[in-house]
Amino acid sequence: MNIKYTLATIILVVVVSACKTPQVAVSSSDPSDHIQFLSSELLAGRSPSTKGDSLSAYYIRDKFISYGLKTLYDDGFQKFPVVTGVYTGKNNRLKVNGLNLVASNDFQAMGFSGNNKVISDVVFSGYGFKIDDDSIKWDDYKNIDVKGKWVLAFRMDPDLDNIQSPFAMYGQDRYKAMIASDMGAAGLLLVNTTEYEKDDILDQLRAMQGISPSSIPVIQVTRKTANHILTPSGFTVDSLEKIITKTRKPKSFKINSLIDGETDIKPNTVNTMNVAALVKGRANPHEYLIVGAHYDHLGMGGPETSSRRRDTIAIHPGADDNASGIAALLKMAKKVSKTPLSRSVIFVAFGAEESGLLGSRYFVEKPPVTISSVKAMINFDMVGRLDTMKSLSIGGTGTALELEGIIDANKNKFGFNIKKNPEGTGPSDHSSFYTRKVPVLFFTTGVHDQYHTPEDKAGLINYEGIDMVVDYSLELITEIANSEKALTFNEVKTTQPNISRRRLKATLGIIPDFSSGQKGVGVDGVRPGGPAHKGGILKGDLIIGINGNSIENIYDYMFRLAKHSQGERIALDIIRDNKTGVILIDL
């Protein structure tokens, strides 16, 4: 920790303590100072809606103002909601044969559970499978009636030691909830086998941003609770586990136990913000370029985040991801403000990128200018680790017909070893703009061992490398902004994203919208030439079923689609413009 950083921190603490509105006083505009501050312990990993998140936003806004930019929205801030987790309401209870059980001790509603009250008897359904695949056939629901009943099932699968197990995709809790609902069950009780979890521990409540809950209550119970439920049958969890593991066959039966249960899971919704400011153009002020980078990170990490040290609760500084991108953004904003370009430039620091590109998605839904007037978007995400080979990756190079030529014409003077990717989609904020038919460029120096860990610290940053990336990208931005003719948008034919791709025998060719908050899977984009494109699926459609089987969320979509192969025809149930319809798709 150097003296300059220490003084900046002292000034920050004094100013914040004296004012209701956070104000950040750090005098230097050098990228090293930006990164030192944003990755400091004081900001504690910049998780959405935390003190560190707010201080980061005010810091960036105040820098924009000091450089002479005009703030947009509400004094530079565009606030939006984020679901940071779930919590249990007052009505979570479970009674077995008249015995009241204790929440968090004997049972726990799962984070994706639907909310309902169910009083019924219960059916044991093994692992809760209903599989008719080329590699395996297994039906735990054959010859049993679960309609309107509770179902008790094991978690995971009977082949845990096999990393190539054919059961792999079917062992997930959400899949089992979907199948139980399909079969008419009113609720699902899940229990750990001894093989899966020797210590009979209940999971912590977890939620995934933008994923709708199950259509039925889903409750995890301890083995002690499950054994109490199983008492009338003469079996125990351990004895049933041994039988099924040995025979490799389903074993399902009705249990003469009465379950009275209710679930009450509520989302924890908070506000965070985008930070936006404008440098007005000299000749074409009503045409715009967007230059962006996200400022949020993973906070203290933990199992509910995408930390690669999920068992470690510690500050994830995010020096490279993405304090480095913000440092590049601020340096560029200062340069452009001194020498405005022909077109206007909007500089945006996006919030909640790590939660699913939420900030940029909200921005394009409620932009400060019409999206049609945005001629390009340039995104910086992890540009702080330029290596000795000067390796620089640029995504989106095929999203406008002119981009390849502009990049090649400027690369030699900087000596970068450039890897170009034509695709406009990807795991960062430019993707939100590409799906709105805006040409994009995405700059990154790549992933490293410290990515999404507590070790992503300021001491590992290549500050000279950031300066080089800024200087080079500014050459490209200047040419794009000053060109008499705007870029010509081009849709790039791409492949299905890596989301469990190894399990899919066919792909639909859509970009899912993870932030829609609706039941179903929103379509954020359609890949040219893919099955969805040929079948007439449009951006904005909401897929709610495949072949009449309902889809509540992205997990349901994956599981439903995994049952189909290339060459098959499927019927998609969709909602478009508030009207329900069916579209036939040839995979």
Side-chain angles (χ1 to χ4, degrees), residues 164-430:
Q164 296 183 339
S165 170
F167 293 106
M169 73 167 294
Y170 303 105
Q172 297 184 39
D173 296 332
R174 287 178 180 266
Y175 166 81
K176 297 183 181 188
M178 182 188 74
I179 294 301
S181 178
D182 284 353
M183 299 306 298
L188 176 65
L189 306 169
L190 292 169
V191 60
N192 290 333
T193 61
T194 304
E195 178 66 22
Y196 172 51
E197 178 62 68
K198 289 182 172 57
D199 297 322
D200 196 11
I201 299 174
L202 297 171
D203 286 2
Q204 293 182 344
L205 272 178
R206 299 177 187 174
M208 290 192 67
Q209 176 68 42
I211 302 300
S212 61
S214 170
S215 59
I216 60 174
V218 184
I219 300 174
Q220 183 190 358
V221 298
T222 62
R223 284 195 288 272
K224 179 180 178 181
T225 298
N227 286 337
H228 181 58
I229 296 170
L230 285 164
T231 298
S233 72
F235 291 105
T236 64
V237 170
D238 287 346
S239 66
L240 287 168
E241 179 185 0
K242 290 175 182 176
I243 291 171
I244 296 173
T245 301
K246 182 177 180 179
T247 63
R248 288 302 176 100
K249 293 181 180 180
K251 185 173 181 61
S252 305
F253 51 86
K254 181 180 177 181
I255 307 168
N256 291 320
S257 288
L258 182 67
I259 307 292
D260 180 355
E262 186 174 6
T263 47
D264 184 13
I265 299 296
K266 300 181 182 297
N268 182 43
T269 303
V270 299
N271 284 324
T272 186
M273 62 194 87
N274 295 322
V275 188
L278 168 73
V279 176
K280 189 175 181 179
R282 293 180 285 103
N284 296 305
H286 301 300
E287 292 186 354
Y288 303 87
L289 273 64
I290 306 288
V291 179
H294 77 89
Y295 68 89
D296 65 300
H297 198 51
L298 306 181
M300 300 297 292
E304 295 182 27
T305 71
S306 55
S307 171
R308 293 172 57 236
R309 303 279 190 274
R310 299 184 71 187
D311 58 344
T312 301
I313 304 299
I315 292 174
H316 286 54
D320 190 26
D321 187 15
N322 187 35
S324 68
I326 292 296
L329 180 78
L330 291 174
K331 182 165 187 175
M332 187 166 294
K334 187 174 184 180
K335 285 177 174 285
V336 173
S337 68
K338 290 180 177 179
T339 309
L341 306 177
S342 178
R343 291 183 173 86
S344 297
V345 182
I346 298 174
F347 292 88
V348 190
F350 298 110
E353 187 267 359
E354 301 286 5
S355 301
L357 314 186
L358 299 187
S360 56
R361 289 180 185 273
Y362 193 82
F363 183 90
V364 298
E365 291 288 343
K366 301 179 184 298
V369 298
T370 61
I371 286 295
S372 61
S373 67
V374 177
K375 303 307 175 184
M377 190 274 174
I378 294 86
N379 182 34
F380 296 93
D381 197 344
M382 297 178 64
V383 292
R385 300 290 290 274
L386 189 70
D387 59 23
T388 56
M389 299 296 292
K390 296 184 179 179
S391 302
L392 178 65
S393 295
I394 306 179
T397 58
T399 61
L401 300 181
E402 302 84 358
L403 284 176
E404 289 270 358
I406 294 173
I407 291 168
D408 290 342
N410 289 278
K411 70 178 181 180
N412 290 334
K413 71 172 71 174
F414 294 92
F416 284 117
N417 177 19
I418 293 177
K419 179 181 179 181
K420 293 182 285 188
N421 181 349
E423 297 184 13
T425 57
S428 194
D429 291 307
H430 60 285

Side-chain angles (χ1 to χ4, degrees), residues 404-516:
E404 289 270 358
I406 294 173
I407 291 168
D408 290 342
N410 289 278
K411 70 178 181 180
N412 290 334
K413 71 172 71 174
F414 294 92
F416 284 117
N417 177 19
I418 293 177
K419 179 181 179 181
K420 293 182 285 188
N421 181 349
E423 297 184 13
T425 57
S428 194
D429 291 307
H430 60 285
S431 185
S432 301
F433 291 83
Y434 174 70
T435 60
R436 268 66 179 181
K437 299 187 182 303
V438 175
V440 298
L441 286 176
F442 167 42
F443 291 87
T444 181
T445 53
V447 179
H448 41 75
D449 289 343
Q450 293 76 38
Y451 169 70
H452 278 202
T453 74
E455 286 76 51
D456 182 9
K457 297 180 179 180
L460 298 174
I461 297 296
N462 181 346
Y463 294 101
E464 291 183 1
I466 293 177
D467 290 338
M468 291 176 61
V469 172
V470 170
D471 290 343
Y472 172 56
S473 57
L474 184 55
E475 296 257 351
L476 306 185
I477 290 170
T478 300
E479 184 167 346
I480 294 169
N482 289 345
S483 174
E484 183 176 340
K485 183 180 178 182
L487 295 175
T488 307
F489 178 75
N490 179 56
E491 281 194 296
V492 182
K493 290 187 177 181
T494 59
T495 57
Q496 185 78 5
N498 289 330
I499 183 169
S500 295
R501 185 174 176 179
R502 67 183 180 85
R503 300 170 182 167
L504 298 178
K505 294 173 285 187
T507 60
L508 197 56
I510 66 166
I511 303 170
D513 181 356
F514 292 96
S515 63
S516 67

